[in-house]
Amino acid sequence: MFNLHEQLLSLQEGEPKIHTTFTFDGVDSTIAKRTLNELTDKLVVNGENINNEATFDKLMCFARDVAAMDPKLVARGLDMLVTGFENQIKQVASTLSTPGYDPTRHAEALDRYAFLFQWAVERGESTASQSRTAQAKPRKRRGNASGTSSSGASTVAEVVPGWKGKLLDLYVHVQQLMQLPLGRVWNSVPERDTFIGVFMRLAHKAMENPAYAKDGDFQTALFSTLCVWLQNYNGLYSLVTMITQNLQHYEHLCEAMAQLVQLAYDEYGGTQLADEVLRDIAAKSFSSVHDKSGPKNTARFLVRLSQLAPKALLRQMGLLIRHLDSEAHIMRSAMSDVIGHLMLYLAAQEEQTEITKNQIGEYFDIIEQRFQDAHYLVRAKVLQVCQFVCSGPAKFPKRRPKLVGLIVGRLEDKATNVRKHAIRALS
Protein backbone atom coordinates (compact mmCIF):
# COMPACT_ATOMS: atom_id res chain seq x y z
CA MET A 1 0.00 0.00 0.00
CA PHE A 2 1.44 3.35 -1.05
CA ASN A 3 1.80 5.85 1.81
CA LEU A 4 2.23 9.41 0.51
CA HIS A 5 3.39 10.86 3.82
CA GLU A 6 6.14 8.25 4.22
CA GLN A 7 7.26 8.64 0.60
CA LEU A 8 7.50 12.43 0.93
CA LEU A 9 9.66 11.97 4.01
CA SER A 10 11.93 9.58 2.12
CA LEU A 11 12.16 12.16 -0.67
CA GLN A 12 13.37 14.75 1.83
CA GLU A 13 15.95 12.37 3.25
CA GLY A 14 17.27 11.19 -0.11
CA GLU A 15 16.02 9.17 -3.05
CA PRO A 16 13.07 6.81 -2.47
CA LYS A 17 13.68 3.16 -3.21
CA ILE A 18 12.99 2.13 -6.81
CA HIS A 19 12.70 -1.56 -7.64
CA THR A 20 14.36 -1.43 -11.05
CA THR A 21 17.82 -0.79 -12.43
CA PHE A 22 16.43 1.19 -15.38
CA THR A 23 17.60 4.77 -15.78
CA PHE A 24 16.89 7.57 -18.25
CA ASP A 25 20.30 9.04 -17.45
CA GLY A 26 22.61 8.23 -20.36
CA VAL A 27 20.25 5.76 -21.99
CA ASP A 28 19.90 5.80 -25.78
CA SER A 29 17.27 8.33 -26.86
CA THR A 30 15.39 5.66 -28.83
CA ILE A 31 15.00 3.54 -25.70
CA ALA A 32 14.00 6.59 -23.64
CA LYS A 33 11.33 7.59 -26.16
CA ARG A 34 10.00 4.04 -26.41
CA THR A 35 9.79 3.76 -22.63
CA LEU A 36 7.91 7.06 -22.32
CA ASN A 37 5.54 6.02 -25.11
CA GLU A 38 4.77 2.76 -23.34
CA LEU A 39 4.10 4.56 -20.05
CA THR A 40 1.94 7.14 -21.81
CA ASP A 41 -0.17 4.44 -23.45
CA LYS A 42 -0.85 2.88 -20.05
CA LEU A 43 -1.86 6.12 -18.36
CA VAL A 44 -4.00 7.30 -21.26
CA VAL A 45 -5.97 4.05 -21.28
CA ASN A 46 -6.54 4.16 -17.52
CA GLY A 47 -5.12 6.66 -15.04
CA GLU A 48 -5.17 4.00 -12.34
CA ASN A 49 -2.49 2.00 -14.15
CA ILE A 50 -0.12 4.09 -12.09
CA ASN A 51 -0.85 1.63 -9.27
CA ASN A 52 0.99 -1.11 -11.18
CA GLU A 53 4.33 -1.37 -9.38
CA ALA A 54 6.42 -1.94 -12.50
CA THR A 55 4.80 1.05 -14.19
CA PHE A 56 5.23 3.23 -11.10
CA ASP A 57 8.90 2.28 -10.80
CA LYS A 58 9.53 3.48 -14.36
CA LEU A 59 7.60 6.69 -13.63
CA MET A 60 9.77 7.26 -10.55
CA CYS A 61 12.82 6.80 -12.77
CA PHE A 62 11.52 9.63 -14.94
CA ALA A 63 11.01 11.90 -11.92
CA ARG A 64 14.44 11.04 -10.56
CA ASP A 65 16.27 11.59 -13.87
CA VAL A 66 14.56 14.82 -15.00
CA ALA A 67 17.76 16.81 -14.46
CA ALA A 68 19.75 14.47 -16.71
CA MET A 69 17.27 14.11 -19.58
CA ASP A 70 16.85 15.87 -22.88
CA PRO A 71 14.45 18.81 -22.31
CA LYS A 72 12.17 17.54 -25.10
CA LEU A 73 11.85 14.18 -23.37
CA VAL A 74 11.14 15.94 -20.06
CA ALA A 75 8.34 17.87 -21.77
CA ARG A 76 6.91 14.63 -23.12
CA GLY A 77 7.11 12.97 -19.72
CA LEU A 78 5.43 15.90 -17.94
CA ASP A 79 2.65 15.88 -20.53
CA MET A 80 2.24 12.16 -19.85
CA LEU A 81 1.81 12.74 -16.11
CA VAL A 82 -0.63 15.64 -16.53
CA THR A 83 -2.73 13.61 -19.01
CA GLY A 84 -2.80 10.59 -16.69
CA PHE A 85 -3.75 12.81 -13.76
CA GLU A 86 -6.56 14.38 -15.79
CA ASN A 87 -7.90 10.92 -16.65
CA GLN A 88 -7.75 9.92 -13.01
CA ILE A 89 -9.73 13.01 -11.96
CA LYS A 90 -12.44 12.14 -14.48
CA GLN A 91 -12.65 8.66 -12.98
CA VAL A 92 -12.91 10.12 -9.47
CA ALA A 93 -15.69 12.51 -10.54
CA SER A 94 -17.57 9.66 -12.21
CA THR A 95 -17.32 7.44 -9.13
CA LEU A 96 -18.42 10.22 -6.78
CA SER A 97 -21.53 10.84 -8.88
CA THR A 98 -22.45 7.14 -9.17
CA PRO A 99 -24.27 5.55 -6.20
CA GLY A 100 -22.89 2.27 -4.96
CA TYR A 101 -19.25 2.83 -5.91
CA ASP A 102 -16.46 3.26 -3.38
CA PRO A 103 -14.49 6.49 -4.11
CA THR A 104 -11.73 5.59 -1.62
CA ARG A 105 -10.31 3.18 -4.20
CA HIS A 106 -8.98 6.22 -6.10
CA ALA A 107 -6.98 7.62 -3.17
CA GLU A 108 -3.84 5.58 -3.80
CA ALA A 109 -3.61 6.54 -7.49
CA LEU A 110 -4.07 10.23 -6.65
CA ASP A 111 -1.37 10.00 -3.97
CA ARG A 112 1.03 8.42 -6.45
CA TYR A 113 0.43 11.22 -8.96
CA ALA A 114 0.99 13.82 -6.25
CA PHE A 115 4.27 12.19 -5.28
CA LEU A 116 5.52 12.12 -8.88
CA PHE A 117 4.60 15.77 -9.42
CA GLN A 118 6.41 16.71 -6.23
CA TRP A 119 9.56 14.91 -7.30
CA ALA A 120 9.52 15.74 -11.02
CA VAL A 121 8.57 19.41 -10.71
CA GLU A 122 11.16 20.01 -7.99
CA ARG A 123 13.81 18.37 -10.15
CA GLY A 124 12.58 20.31 -13.16
CA GLU A 125 12.90 23.60 -11.33
CA SER A 126 16.40 22.59 -10.27
CA THR A 127 17.21 21.82 -13.91
CA ALA A 128 16.34 25.39 -14.79
CA SER A 129 18.41 26.77 -11.93
CA GLN A 130 21.42 24.72 -12.95
CA SER A 131 20.99 25.74 -16.58
CA ARG A 132 20.85 29.41 -15.63
CA THR A 133 24.00 29.02 -13.55
CA ALA A 134 25.87 27.13 -16.25
CA GLN A 135 24.84 29.41 -19.06
CA ALA A 136 25.62 32.55 -17.06
CA LYS A 137 29.30 31.67 -16.67
CA PRO A 138 31.63 34.43 -17.87
CA ARG A 139 32.45 34.33 -21.56
CA LYS A 140 34.58 36.65 -23.55
CA ARG A 141 32.23 38.31 -25.96
CA ARG A 142 32.76 41.33 -28.13
CA GLY A 143 30.90 44.35 -26.79
CA ASN A 144 30.22 42.72 -23.42
CA ALA A 145 32.43 44.42 -20.90
CA SER A 146 31.41 42.17 -18.04
CA GLY A 147 32.17 39.05 -20.07
CA THR A 148 28.80 37.52 -19.14
CA SER A 149 26.60 35.77 -21.65
CA SER A 150 23.14 37.19 -22.01
CA SER A 151 21.81 34.15 -23.83
CA GLY A 152 21.25 32.01 -20.72
CA ALA A 153 17.76 30.69 -20.07
CA SER A 154 15.97 32.64 -17.38
CA THR A 155 12.90 30.51 -16.71
CA VAL A 156 11.89 26.87 -16.58
CA ALA A 157 9.63 27.51 -19.58
CA GLU A 158 12.72 28.36 -21.64
CA VAL A 159 14.63 25.26 -20.60
CA VAL A 160 11.90 22.67 -21.16
CA PRO A 161 9.48 23.29 -24.07
CA GLY A 162 5.93 23.75 -22.83
CA TRP A 163 6.88 23.39 -19.14
CA LYS A 164 4.92 26.42 -17.94
CA GLY A 165 1.91 25.51 -20.08
CA LYS A 166 1.79 22.03 -18.60
CA LEU A 167 2.02 23.38 -15.05
CA LEU A 168 -0.88 25.67 -15.95
CA ASP A 169 -2.88 22.65 -17.12
CA LEU A 170 -1.94 20.84 -13.92
CA TYR A 171 -3.38 23.57 -11.70
CA VAL A 172 -6.54 23.81 -13.77
CA HIS A 173 -7.02 20.08 -13.09
CA VAL A 174 -6.10 20.46 -9.40
CA GLN A 175 -8.72 23.18 -9.03
CA GLN A 176 -11.33 20.92 -10.65
CA LEU A 177 -10.38 18.07 -8.33
CA MET A 178 -10.53 20.23 -5.19
CA GLN A 179 -14.08 21.28 -6.03
CA LEU A 180 -15.14 17.65 -5.61
CA PRO A 181 -16.05 16.28 -2.14
CA LEU A 182 -12.58 14.87 -1.46
CA GLY A 183 -13.59 13.94 2.08
CA ARG A 184 -15.21 10.89 0.52
CA VAL A 185 -12.02 9.85 -1.28
CA TRP A 186 -9.62 9.63 1.69
CA ASN A 187 -10.34 7.77 4.90
CA SER A 188 -8.91 10.53 7.08
CA VAL A 189 -8.46 14.31 6.98
CA PRO A 190 -4.65 14.10 7.50
CA GLU A 191 -4.33 11.84 4.44
CA ARG A 192 -6.42 14.20 2.34
CA ASP A 193 -4.46 17.23 3.58
CA THR A 194 -1.14 15.54 2.81
CA PHE A 195 -2.27 15.14 -0.79
CA ILE A 196 -3.50 18.74 -1.08
CA GLY A 197 -0.37 20.02 0.66
CA VAL A 198 1.82 18.75 -2.19
CA PHE A 199 0.14 21.04 -4.71
CA MET A 200 -0.01 24.00 -2.34
CA ARG A 201 3.75 23.77 -1.74
CA LEU A 202 4.39 23.55 -5.47
CA ALA A 203 2.12 26.58 -5.97
CA HIS A 204 4.13 28.53 -3.41
CA LYS A 205 7.34 27.50 -5.15
CA ALA A 206 5.96 28.51 -8.56
CA MET A 207 5.10 31.98 -7.31
CA GLU A 208 8.75 32.58 -6.49
CA ASN A 209 9.49 32.52 -10.22
CA PRO A 210 8.78 35.99 -11.74
CA ALA A 211 8.01 34.42 -15.13
CA TYR A 212 5.08 32.54 -13.60
CA ALA A 213 3.91 35.45 -11.46
CA LYS A 214 3.71 37.76 -14.50
CA ASP A 215 1.69 35.30 -16.60
CA GLY A 216 -1.98 36.27 -16.22
CA ASP A 217 -3.44 32.85 -17.08
CA PHE A 218 -0.98 31.01 -14.85
CA GLN A 219 -1.63 33.41 -11.98
CA THR A 220 -5.40 33.05 -12.34
CA ALA A 221 -5.21 29.24 -12.24
CA LEU A 222 -2.85 29.29 -9.28
CA PHE A 223 -4.83 31.85 -7.29
CA SER A 224 -8.15 30.15 -7.99
CA THR A 225 -6.71 26.87 -6.69
CA LEU A 226 -5.45 28.60 -3.53
CA CYS A 227 -8.87 30.19 -3.01
CA VAL A 228 -10.63 26.82 -3.32
CA TRP A 229 -8.16 25.49 -0.73
CA LEU A 230 -9.07 28.41 1.52
CA GLN A 231 -12.79 27.94 1.03
CA ASN A 232 -13.14 24.16 1.19
CA TYR A 233 -10.14 22.78 3.04
CA ASN A 234 -9.30 25.07 5.98
CA GLY A 235 -6.34 26.65 4.25
CA LEU A 236 -6.73 30.03 5.99
CA TYR A 237 -3.72 30.20 8.28
CA SER A 238 -1.38 28.42 5.88
CA LEU A 239 -2.39 30.90 3.17
CA VAL A 240 -1.90 33.86 5.54
CA THR A 241 1.61 32.60 6.28
CA MET A 242 2.31 32.13 2.57
CA ILE A 243 1.21 35.69 1.76
CA THR A 244 3.15 37.34 4.58
CA GLN A 245 6.30 35.39 3.71
CA ASN A 246 5.98 36.38 0.06
CA LEU A 247 5.62 40.04 1.04
CA GLN A 248 8.73 39.77 3.14
CA HIS A 249 10.96 38.06 0.59
CA TYR A 250 9.71 38.64 -2.98
CA GLU A 251 9.33 42.11 -4.43
CA HIS A 252 7.65 40.84 -7.60
CA LEU A 253 4.78 39.36 -5.57
CA CYS A 254 3.64 42.52 -3.73
CA GLU A 255 0.82 43.46 -6.07
CA ALA A 256 0.09 39.83 -6.97
CA MET A 257 -0.64 39.09 -3.29
CA ALA A 258 -3.07 42.02 -3.27
CA GLN A 259 -4.81 40.44 -6.27
CA LEU A 260 -4.97 37.10 -4.45
CA VAL A 261 -6.55 38.71 -1.37
CA GLN A 262 -9.01 40.60 -3.58
CA LEU A 263 -9.99 37.41 -5.45
CA ALA A 264 -10.57 35.57 -2.18
CA TYR A 265 -12.51 38.53 -0.73
CA ASP A 266 -14.75 39.19 -3.74
CA GLU A 267 -15.42 35.69 -5.11
CA TYR A 268 -14.67 33.11 -2.40
CA GLY A 269 -15.98 34.71 0.79
CA GLY A 270 -12.42 35.26 1.97
CA THR A 271 -13.17 38.10 4.38
CA GLN A 272 -11.19 36.40 7.12
CA LEU A 273 -8.12 36.04 4.88
CA ALA A 274 -7.99 39.80 4.27
CA ASP A 275 -8.58 40.47 7.97
CA GLU A 276 -5.80 38.14 9.13
CA VAL A 277 -3.23 39.41 6.62
CA LEU A 278 -3.98 43.05 7.47
CA ARG A 279 -3.90 42.36 11.21
CA ASP A 280 -0.51 40.75 10.76
CA ILE A 281 0.75 43.82 8.88
CA ALA A 282 -0.74 46.16 11.48
CA ALA A 283 1.12 44.37 14.26
CA LYS A 284 4.53 44.75 12.59
CA SER A 285 7.04 47.52 13.14
CA PHE A 286 9.10 48.68 10.18
CA SER A 287 12.46 50.39 10.10
CA SER A 288 13.99 52.10 7.07
CA VAL A 289 17.46 51.44 8.44
CA HIS A 290 17.41 47.74 9.28
CA ASP A 291 14.72 46.47 6.89
CA LYS A 292 14.63 47.92 3.40
CA SER A 293 12.56 45.33 1.51
CA GLY A 294 9.92 44.74 4.20
CA PRO A 295 8.39 48.24 4.28
CA LYS A 296 8.70 48.68 0.52
CA ASN A 297 6.94 45.42 -0.30
CA THR A 298 4.25 45.91 2.32
CA ALA A 299 3.65 49.48 1.18
CA ARG A 300 3.07 48.39 -2.41
CA PHE A 301 0.73 45.64 -1.23
CA LEU A 302 -1.38 48.04 0.85
CA VAL A 303 -1.65 50.66 -1.89
CA ARG A 304 -2.65 48.08 -4.48
CA LEU A 305 -5.19 46.49 -2.14
CA SER A 306 -6.72 49.92 -1.43
CA GLN A 307 -7.35 50.21 -5.17
CA LEU A 308 -8.64 46.66 -5.65
CA ALA A 309 -10.57 46.00 -2.43
CA PRO A 310 -10.96 49.23 -0.42
CA LYS A 311 -13.82 47.72 1.58
CA ALA A 312 -11.48 45.02 2.91
CA LEU A 313 -8.96 47.65 4.03
CA LEU A 314 -11.60 49.81 5.71
CA ARG A 315 -12.38 46.94 8.08
CA GLN A 316 -8.85 47.09 9.53
CA MET A 317 -7.94 50.78 9.20
CA GLY A 318 -8.32 51.22 12.95
CA LEU A 319 -5.27 48.96 13.36
CA LEU A 320 -3.34 49.95 10.24
CA ILE A 321 -3.48 53.67 11.01
CA ARG A 322 -0.59 53.26 13.46
CA HIS A 323 1.77 53.04 10.48
CA LEU A 324 1.28 56.78 9.95
CA ASP A 325 3.78 57.08 12.80
CA SER A 326 6.09 54.39 11.42
CA GLU A 327 9.82 54.95 11.51
CA ALA A 328 9.89 53.91 7.85
CA HIS A 329 8.89 56.91 5.72
CA ILE A 330 7.75 54.60 2.92
CA MET A 331 5.02 53.22 5.23
CA ARG A 332 3.86 56.74 6.13
CA SER A 333 3.79 57.56 2.43
CA ALA A 334 1.85 54.38 1.61
CA MET A 335 -0.72 55.03 4.32
CA SER A 336 -1.31 58.52 2.91
CA ASP A 337 -1.85 56.94 -0.51
CA VAL A 338 -4.19 54.32 0.98
CA ILE A 339 -6.25 57.00 2.73
CA GLY A 340 -6.62 58.87 -0.55
CA HIS A 341 -8.04 55.80 -2.29
CA LEU A 342 -10.36 55.09 0.63
CA MET A 343 -11.65 58.68 0.49
CA LEU A 344 -12.49 58.22 -3.19
CA TYR A 345 -14.23 54.93 -2.42
CA LEU A 346 -16.30 56.43 0.42
CA ALA A 347 -17.20 59.52 -1.61
CA ALA A 348 -18.47 57.29 -4.44
CA GLN A 349 -21.01 55.50 -2.23
CA GLU A 350 -24.59 56.25 -3.21
CA GLU A 351 -25.75 56.49 0.38
CA GLN A 352 -23.76 59.20 2.15
CA THR A 353 -24.54 58.49 5.79
CA GLU A 354 -23.25 60.61 8.67
CA ILE A 355 -20.75 57.86 9.48
CA THR A 356 -19.40 57.97 5.93
CA LYS A 357 -19.18 61.78 5.96
CA ASN A 358 -17.41 61.76 9.32
CA GLN A 359 -14.96 59.13 8.12
CA ILE A 360 -14.08 61.22 5.05
CA GLY A 361 -13.62 64.24 7.32
CA GLU A 362 -11.26 62.30 9.60
CA TYR A 363 -9.21 61.20 6.61
CA PHE A 364 -8.99 64.81 5.41
CA ASP A 365 -7.68 65.78 8.86
CA ILE A 366 -4.98 63.12 8.60
CA ILE A 367 -3.94 64.23 5.10
CA GLU A 368 -3.70 67.85 6.27
CA GLN A 369 -1.47 66.79 9.18
CA ARG A 370 0.84 64.91 6.81
CA PHE A 371 1.79 68.19 5.11
CA GLN A 372 4.15 68.66 8.06
CA ASP A 373 5.83 65.24 7.76
CA ALA A 374 9.57 65.34 8.36
CA HIS A 375 10.41 63.41 5.18
CA TYR A 376 10.14 65.19 1.84
CA LEU A 377 8.95 62.05 0.02
CA VAL A 378 5.93 61.80 2.32
CA ARG A 379 5.10 65.46 1.77
CA ALA A 380 5.39 64.91 -1.99
CA LYS A 381 3.10 61.88 -1.77
CA VAL A 382 0.52 63.89 0.19
CA LEU A 383 0.45 66.44 -2.62
CA GLN A 384 -0.11 63.64 -5.15
CA VAL A 385 -2.96 62.32 -3.01
CA CYS A 386 -4.56 65.76 -2.88
CA GLN A 387 -4.28 65.98 -6.65
CA PHE A 388 -6.02 62.67 -7.44
CA VAL A 389 -8.61 63.05 -4.67
CA CYS A 390 -9.67 66.52 -5.83
CA SER A 391 -9.65 65.40 -9.46
CA GLY A 392 -12.24 62.72 -8.72
CA PRO A 393 -16.02 62.97 -9.13
CA ALA A 394 -16.46 64.41 -5.62
CA LYS A 395 -15.06 67.94 -5.33
CA PHE A 396 -15.23 68.37 -1.50
CA PRO A 397 -16.07 72.11 -1.59
CA LYS A 398 -15.92 72.53 2.21
CA ARG A 399 -12.40 71.09 2.53
CA ARG A 400 -10.95 72.38 -0.72
CA PRO A 401 -10.04 75.98 0.42
CA LYS A 402 -7.88 74.75 3.31
CA LEU A 403 -6.19 72.17 1.08
CA VAL A 404 -5.36 74.87 -1.46
CA GLY A 405 -3.83 76.99 1.28
CA LEU A 406 -1.67 74.09 2.49
CA ILE A 407 -0.57 73.31 -1.06
CA VAL A 408 0.38 76.95 -1.67
CA GLY A 409 2.49 76.80 1.48
CA ARG A 410 4.47 73.90 -0.01
CA LEU A 411 5.55 76.14 -2.91
CA GLU A 412 8.26 77.32 -0.53
CA ASP A 413 9.25 73.84 0.62
CA LYS A 414 13.00 73.28 0.80
CA ALA A 415 12.69 70.11 -1.29
CA THR A 416 12.54 70.59 -5.06
CA ASN A 417 10.44 67.47 -5.48
CA VAL A 418 7.80 68.78 -3.09
CA ARG A 419 7.64 72.18 -4.83
CA LYS A 420 7.23 70.42 -8.18
CA HIS A 421 4.26 68.37 -6.93
CA ALA A 422 2.73 71.47 -5.33
CA ILE A 423 2.73 73.22 -8.71
CA ARG A 424 1.13 70.13 -10.31
CA ALA A 425 -1.55 69.97 -7.61
CA LEU A 426 -2.48 73.60 -8.19
CA SER A 427 -2.54 73.37 -11.97
Side-chain angles (χ1 to χ4, degrees):
M1 184 69 177
F2 183 82
N3 187 299
L4 178 59
H5 178 69
E6 292 179 359
Q7 291 299 320
L8 291 174
L9 287 178
S10 68
L11 191 58
Q12 291 177 354
E13 296 168 357
E15 288 190 357
K17 188 174 182 180
I18 302 177
H19 302 91
T20 179
T21 58
F22 181 82
T23 177
F24 284 96
D25 185 3
V27 73
D28 183 80
S29 62
T30 303
I31 298 175
K33 289 177 183 178
R34 184 172 66 246
T35 303
L36 287 177
N37 287 339
E38 292 171 354
L39 293 171
T40 301
D41 290 341
K42 292 178 181 178
L43 297 186
V44 167
V45 170
N46 186 345
E48 290 201 357
N49 281 333
I50 196 173
N51 289 330
N52 177 278
E53 293 301 333
T55 299
F56 188 63
D57 282 339
K58 289 283 183 67
L59 290 169
M60 284 199 292
C61 290
F62 165 75
R64 178 195 63 196
D65 298 335
V66 158
M69 293 173 64
D70 184 303
K72 292 182 180 179
L73 291 179
V74 175
R76 183 180 295 188
L78 183 61
D79 180 70
M80 166 190 67
L81 288 180
V82 172
T83 301
F85 186 55
E86 180 185 10
N87 290 338
Q88 183 60 32
I89 293 172
K90 290 177 180 178
Q91 290 179 267
V92 173
S94 176
T95 300
L96 287 169
S97 63
T98 305
Y101 285 85
D102 180 16
T104 60
R105 65 188 180 88
H106 296 296
E108 182 174 350
L110 290 172
D111 282 345
R112 288 176 185 263
Y113 278 109
F115 174 73
L116 290 174
F117 282 122
Q118 174 77 44
W119 197 355
V121 172
E122 278 196 350
R123 286 293 179 98
E125 296 288 353
S126 299
T127 301
S129 299
Q130 293 165 5
S131 297
R132 288 196 292 271
T133 302
Q135 295 183 37
K137 288 182 179 179
R139 298 177 185 175
K140 295 181 180 179
R141 296 172 63 93
R142 184 176 299 176
N144 188 344
S146 64
T148 303
S149 170
S150 60
S151 62
S154 58
T155 66
V156 172
E158 292 175 354
V159 176
V160 176
W163 179 278
K164 185 170 66 174
K166 280 303 162 187
L167 288 189
L168 170 59
D169 293 342
L170 171 62
Y171 274 95
V172 169
H173 300 324
V174 171
Q175 182 186 352
Q176 294 169 347
L177 177 64
M178 290 176 64
Q179 290 172 336
L180 299 175
L182 295 185
R184 294 172 55 194
V185 176
W186 280 270
N187 290 318
S188 69
V189 171
E191 290 176 334
R192 181 202 69 189
D193 289 348
T194 298
F195 169 82
I196 294 174
V198 168
F199 296 101
M200 298 308 104
R201 285 192 298 274
L202 290 177
H204 192 189
K205 187 70 176 177
M207 285 190 289
E208 296 174 7
N209 189 327
Y212 297 157
K214 294 176 182 177
D215 186 304
D217 291 338
F218 193 95
Q219 182 175 287
T220 298
L222 212 60
F223 286 1
S224 297
T225 303
L226 292 172
C227 287
V228 173
W229 177 40
L230 167 71
Q231 186 179 53
N232 297 343
Y233 300 101
N234 302 316
L236 173 64
Y237 292 106
S238 296
L239 193 51
V240 169
T241 300
M242 182 186 298
I243 291 171
T244 53
Q245 287 179 349
N246 285 340
L247 290 178
Q248 184 177 356
H249 299 295
Y250 302 104
E251 184 177 348
H252 69 276
L253 289 177
C254 304
E255 297 187 358
M257 291 300 96
Q259 291 172 313
L260 172 57
V261 172
Q262 180 217 5
L263 179 65
Y265 188 87
D266 290 344
E267 298 185 25
Y268 291 87
T271 303
Q272 196 174 357
L273 175 66
D275 287 346
E276 292 296 331
V277 170
L278 293 173
R279 286 189 195 120
D280 183 85
I281 291 173
K284 290 182 177 179
S285 295
F286 297 97
S287 169
S288 296
V289 178
H290 303 294
D291 182 12
K292 296 189 181 298
S293 62
K296 181 180 178 182
N297 295 350
T298 304
R300 287 179 57 193
F301 169 81
L302 289 174
V303 172
R304 186 59 178 149
L305 189 61
S306 71
Q307 297 169 330
L308 297 173
K311 191 175 180 180
L313 259 170
L314 276 170
R315 291 166 55 91
Q316 301 300 327
M317 276 301 288
L319 298 175
L320 291 167
I321 205 74
R322 65 182 288 271
H323 287 305
L324 280 169
D325 298 319
S326 174
E327 180 183 340
H329 70 81
I330 195 168
M331 288 300 297
R332 303 198 302 274
S333 179
M335 288 306 300
S336 300
D337 208 346
V338 165
I339 287 172
H341 290 294
L342 295 183
M343 289 167 67
L344 288 177
Y345 169 75
L346 290 170
Q349 300 307 298
E350 291 185 9
E351 185 179 355
Q352 290 293 306
T353 64
E354 283 302 313
I355 295 176
T356 301
K357 293 177 182 178
N358 290 337
Q359 203 164 15
I360 293 174
E362 290 173 4
Y363 286 156
F364 262 113
D365 292 339
I366 292 172
I367 291 297
E368 290 168 359
Q369 293 168 10
R370 288 296 105 190
F371 273 87
Q372 305 301 321
D373 196 280
H375 203 286
Y376 76 96
L377 288 177
V378 180
R379 299 196 299 276
K381 174 56 69 176
V382 169
L383 288 165
Q384 289 178 293
V385 171
C386 290
Q387 185 178 358
F388 74 70
V389 166
C390 292
S391 298
K395 300 306 179 184
F396 308 107
K398 293 182 179 179
R399 305 298 301 237
R400 207 175 186 92
K402 186 174 182 180
L403 273 184
V404 171
L406 291 169
I407 294 170
V408 170
R410 288 299 105 195
L411 292 173
E412 298 180 1
D413 197 285
K414 60 184 179 181
T416 304
N417 194 34
V418 177
R419 296 197 300 270
K420 180 179 68 175
H421 283 292
I423 293 172
R424 288 180 180 175
L426 290 171
S427 60

